[in-house]
Amino acid sequence: MKFHRIGGCVVGALIVAASLHAHAQSSGAAPAVVASAGASTPVQAKAKAADRALRKRVLTALGKAKGLRASGVTVRVNNGAVTLQGWVPEQAQIERAADIAQSVPGVTAVKNELTLSTF
């Protein structure tokens, strides 16, 4: 019998659930509550939406900046903290990108991981 990857996961989940149920029955313990993977609360969803909006504002600011080639820059945001990753063609642009990101309203911190590249 050949299982597809998803079928194996379903079978594994059923085995774990049955095992937990059997353990709860034999030990007299309260039934275990298993949270569904990937579930988020409304607060978490709102925070993610705010981070996405902030990321867009930072990318827009970097794209509009004179003297900055931002095509190799990736922006990540987590709770208002911005991480700049990727490359720029000139050393001066590394610091400039961080200054621009820090100037965007809502940014709480900037971690600059940009590197110099001559591509």
Side-chain angles (χ1 to χ4, degrees):
M1 179 191 249
K2 185 176 180 182
F3 284 105
H4 293 285
R5 180 176 251 174
I6 228 168
C9 291
V10 170
V11 170
L14 290 173
I15 291 170
V16 169
S19 173
L20 287 173
H21 180 72
H23 176 70
Q25 294 296 323
S26 66
S27 68
V33 176
V34 179
S36 63
S40 65
T41 65
V43 172
Q44 290 171 327
K46 191 178 252 188
K48 285 183 181 184
D51 282 346
R52 282 192 300 273
L54 182 56
R55 178 180 178 270
K56 186 175 181 178
R57 290 194 309 270
V58 171
L59 284 169
T60 299
L62 292 172
K64 289 182 177 181
K66 301 287 185 203
L68 178 65
R69 184 171 175 192
S71 61
V73 177
T74 300
V75 176
R76 299 187 192 289
V77 180
N78 187 12
N79 294 324
V82 173
T83 301
L84 301 175
Q85 296 174 321
W87 58 271
V88 291
E90 297 174 2
Q91 182 67 35
Q93 292 183 20
I94 292 175
E95 191 172 316
R96 178 149 169 71
D99 291 342
I100 292 166
Q102 186 65 57
S103 72
V104 175
V107 172
T108 58
V110 176
K111 182 176 181 183
N112 193 342
E113 297 178 353
L114 293 175
T115 60
L116 184 61
S117 178
T118 56
F119 288 113

